[in-house]
Amino acid sequence: MSGAGPAALAVERIAHAIHRRGLSHGRTGNLAVRDGEHILLTPTGVSLGEVEAGALSVLDAEGRRLDGPRPTKEAFLHLAVLRTRPELNAVVHTHSPYAAALSCLDGLDPEAPLPPLTAYFAMRVGALRLLPYLAPGDASGTALVEEAAAASHALLLRNHGPVVAGSDLDGALDALEELEHTAQLFFLTAGHRTAPLSAERVAALAQPPIQPPLEGRTPAA
């Protein structure tokens, strides 16, 4: 571990945080992060609570293993998202219970499976896309993942769980936790009338807030 670089250490730290916060169980969940020209992934068959920075899978951009143990069988998900969104550098995939439960519901809108119940969901998750069912590790769904990732950095795999990308692993985890929390609110409010944010309110959150001028200071023109 002492010889691991910053990217590998971040994978270990975030993997342990996901496990500690109950967002993964058993040996489920996986992470990926860009490290220069390479992509680091959590290995297959390892609990996120036991991931070690010095024992990660190292792949090239095409998915060829360069070093380390065999990667998670969900590597195609991570590679598809990172290939589609070059401005993003990290992907987190979990089977967190509320988001996974949401993915099992019938009648969900593929383009908006979860309403914007809070401002933080709108800001950190934004558009959420629901993908059709894919068997774990089924890389034949790569094109579907790429198409959805082009529209949103947050995806929900039907009967499976969330896949969320960010500029770094901390940002991806923040968004994933917000998605999980909003899914929990969705179930807590089931059977009650809710008031999701309007499209206008969601759009306003994308604008910087107007700051009042400091007392005694003339506002800039």
Side-chain angles (χ1 to χ4, degrees), residues 42-62:
T42 48
T44 188
V46 177
S47 164
L48 292 186
E50 298 175 351
V51 165
E52 297 180 356
L56 300 177
S57 303
V58 183
L59 277 60
D60 66 15
E62 302 304 317

Side-chain angles (χ1 to χ4, degrees), residues 146-171:
E146 291 175 340
E147 181 180 359
S152 175
H153 73 110
L155 313 177
L156 186 63
L157 307 178
R158 180 163 279 290
N159 301 91
H160 195 156
V163 178
V164 182
S167 58
D168 55 27
L169 282 168
D170 288 281

Side-chain angles (χ1 to χ4, degrees), residues 105-127:
L105 296 182
D106 192 18
L108 295 174
D109 180 351
E111 295 190 0
L114 192 58
L117 295 175
T118 69
Y120 284 96
F121 176 84
M123 292 187 292
R124 292 180 178 168
V125 180

Side-chain angles (χ1 to χ4, degrees), residues 20 24 48 50 55-56 58 79-82 93 104 109 113 123 127 131 137 155 168 171 185 200 212-213 215:
R20 186 172 62 250
S24 67
L48 292 186
E50 298 175 351
L56 300 177
V58 183
L79 292 168
V81 173
L82 292 173
H93 168 48
C104 298
D109 180 351
M123 292 187 292
L131 275 74
L155 313 177
D168 55 27
L185 293 177
E200 292 76 16
E215 186 177 354

Side-chain angles (χ1 to χ4, degrees), residues 7-127:
L9 291 170
V11 171
E12 179 182 298
R13 176 173 58 82
I14 296 298
H16 291 185
I18 288 172
H19 187 267
R20 186 172 62 250
R21 298 173 192 181
L23 298 172
S24 67
H25 66 280
R27 292 179 290 176
T28 64
N30 31 80
L31 287 70
V33 67
R34 296 187 204 271
D35 185 20
E37 297 299 316
H38 301 150
I39 297 173
L40 306 182
L41 288 105
T42 48
T44 188
V46 177
S47 164
L48 292 186
E50 298 175 351
V51 165
E52 297 180 356
L56 300 177
S57 303
V58 183
L59 277 60
D60 66 15
E62 302 304 317
R64 292 182 287 263
R65 179 155 57 109
L66 305 176
D67 197 7
R70 191 158 55 94
T72 169
K73 61 178 172 288
E74 308 288 16
F76 82 95
L77 287 172
H78 300 273
L79 292 168
V81 173
L82 292 173
R83 183 166 53 247
T84 305
R85 302 295 294 265
E87 79 279 14
L88 302 179
N89 298 304
V91 182
V92 174
H93 168 48
T94 69
H95 301 173
S96 46
Y98 288 100
L102 177 70
S103 77
C104 298
L105 296 182
D106 192 18
L108 295 174
D109 180 351
E111 295 190 0
L114 192 58
L117 295 175
T118 69
Y120 284 96
F121 176 84
M123 292 187 292
R124 292 180 178 168
V125 180

